[in-house]
Amino acid sequence: MTQLTTLERQGFGATQRRDAWWVGPALTFAGLSTFLIYGTWAAFQGDGFEIRKDRANFHKPDNKVVAPYLSPFYAPLIYDPQSPHAWFTSGKPTWWPAFLPLTPALLILPFPGLFRFTCYYYRKAYYRAFWADPPACAVGEPRKTYWGENRLPLILQNLHRYFMYIALIFLALLTWDALLAFWWPTLDASGNPTGGHQFGIGLGTLIMVANVICLAAFTFGCNSVRHLVGGRLKCFSCTGRTGETNLGYKMWRCSTALNEKHMEWAWVSLFVVGFTDLYIRLCAMGVWSDLRII
Ligand code: FES
């Protein structure tokens, strides 16, 4: 006979745990808050997303781009009158209400933002850190009922599998931007672009490549990617479809290996994407000088 013990609901924060269970949620709160504040500030700036000759007058009409970098916060660059990265060489749409702020970053950041917001790992992390629901395993929570993610608004978290497809498109675009970061505009003696290009590598090039690698490791380890490449199959070893040589099985194993470190890649990629924007922004402002390696 097994004796059943009835557990009493504990008050908020009550626990018998003796370890420092609050450290994880506190670090999560600090890390995500810092990124959100910096990212929101950078997105509203509308400048500093690439390096132009006149560091003090980013939007001056003839201010030429002198380095091939583009901040990932502004990629893809939907519009800009003078950037070679821009899809449309117009300014802010004339029909846009003047009282509403708009920058190219505000048009695109919701998509990677929602991909992270609905990520299974981040959900666990911010439910604990921001909502204390629960603060940690075996620690009393403030609510008395549990709805799970079965009704609005949290049922919308299930859209994660669709944001994954958009994230894959963004990853391809950022990869292209990282390749373009090897293709430098040639400059004359006064530092003005001559119209030509040549191969080159700067510290920013390496940072943009590192950013793509970290984002790829985070994205390809996504639970939805793992399901997409192999999760639908009922049998990996069935004849004709799967097995060690099966491409889908190999991709599933790669995704699984990344998935096992998904939390780590979530944080590393978050830090690196923020630092990539910061590096390009500070170089654009003239605070830092980009190191030209080749
Ligand atoms: Fe984390 Fe999909 S589960 S990105």
Side-chain angles (χ1 to χ4, degrees):
M1 293 283 290
T2 304
Q3 189 172 5
L4 292 177
T5 305
T6 305
L7 295 176
E8 295 280 328
R9 176 174 289 280
Q10 302 293 308
F12 177 41
T15 184
Q16 293 182 353
R17 288 178 63 167
R18 295 285 172 262
D19 61 331
W21 58 264
W22 50 270
V23 171
L27 289 176
T28 300
F29 184 85
L32 290 182
S33 298
T34 303
F35 182 84
L36 280 174
I37 291 169
Y38 174 75
T40 305
W41 174 83
F44 274 91
Q45 296 311 297
D47 61 15
F49 48 81
E50 60 188 5
I51 302 175
R52 299 181 180 177
K53 185 167 182 242
D54 187 346
R55 311 285 164 110
N57 299 289
F58 188 83
H59 287 299
K60 199 168 80 176
D62 59 346
N63 196 10
K64 295 281 192 272
V65 174
V66 293
Y69 306 152
L70 176 64
S71 162
F73 285 4
Y74 285 76
L77 187 60
I78 303 295
Y79 69 86
D80 189 86
Q82 64 224 68
S83 172
H85 292 107
W87 286 8
F88 299 99
T89 51
S90 58
K92 195 160 110 175
T94 49
W95 48 265
W96 188 261
F99 65 91
L100 279 180
L102 181 70
T103 70
L106 293 174
L107 290 176
I108 56 105
L109 278 185
F111 298 104
L114 284 168
F115 178 58
R116 285 196 188 251
F117 186 81
T118 56
C119 160
Y120 290 83
Y121 162 67
Y122 279 116
R123 272 141 77 172
K124 182 197 87 170
Y126 67 76
Y127 284 179
R128 292 182 176 188
F130 287 80
W131 302 346
D133 193 17
C137 287
V139 178
E141 57 187 327
R143 292 190 327 158
K144 292 196 167 41
T145 54
Y146 177 69
W147 292 348
E149 293 171 334
N150 292 324
R151 60 177 74 174
L152 285 170
L154 292 184
I155 198 171
L156 295 177
Q157 300 278 31
N158 291 299
L159 294 175
H160 181 67
R161 69 200 69 172
Y162 303 109
F163 291 128
M164 177 268 295
Y165 290 108
I166 301 176
L168 290 175
I169 295 170
F170 271 69
L171 187 59
L173 294 170
L174 288 171
T175 303
W176 179 245
D177 287 337
L179 291 174
L180 288 181
F182 290 90
W183 198 233
W184 286 70
T186 50
L187 308 177
D188 62 18
S190 329
N192 291 310
T194 60
H197 288 81
Q198 63 184 8
F199 177 80
I201 298 176
L203 182 55
T205 310
L206 302 182
I207 293 173
M208 287 181 68
V209 170
N211 178 48
V212 167
I213 292 172
C214 294
L215 287 176
F218 171 65
T219 306
F220 292 142
C222 167
N223 290 309
S224 297
V225 170
R226 191 164 167 261
H227 174 76
L228 180 70
V229 298
R232 295 159 293 114
L233 301 176
K234 289 189 169 54
C235 172
F236 275 127
S237 58
C238 298
T239 314
R241 288 197 307 164
T242 54
E244 281 293 337
T245 57
N246 183 277
L247 180 62
Y249 180 51
K250 283 183 177 173
M251 288 165 58
W252 178 82
R253 290 213 313 177
C254 289
S255 181
T256 299
L258 291 169
N259 184 265
E260 286 168 358
K261 299 284 181 197
H262 196 50
M263 178 184 78
E264 288 85 345
W265 283 118
W267 282 106
V268 169
S269 62
L270 193 76
F271 173 80
V272 174
V273 75
F275 181 76
T276 306
D277 177 87
L278 180 68
Y279 180 83
I280 294 171
R281 183 168 298 282
L282 291 180
C283 290
M285 294 165 64
V287 178
W288 284 354
S289 296
D290 181 46
L291 177 65
R292 183 74 181 264
I293 300 168
I294 295 177

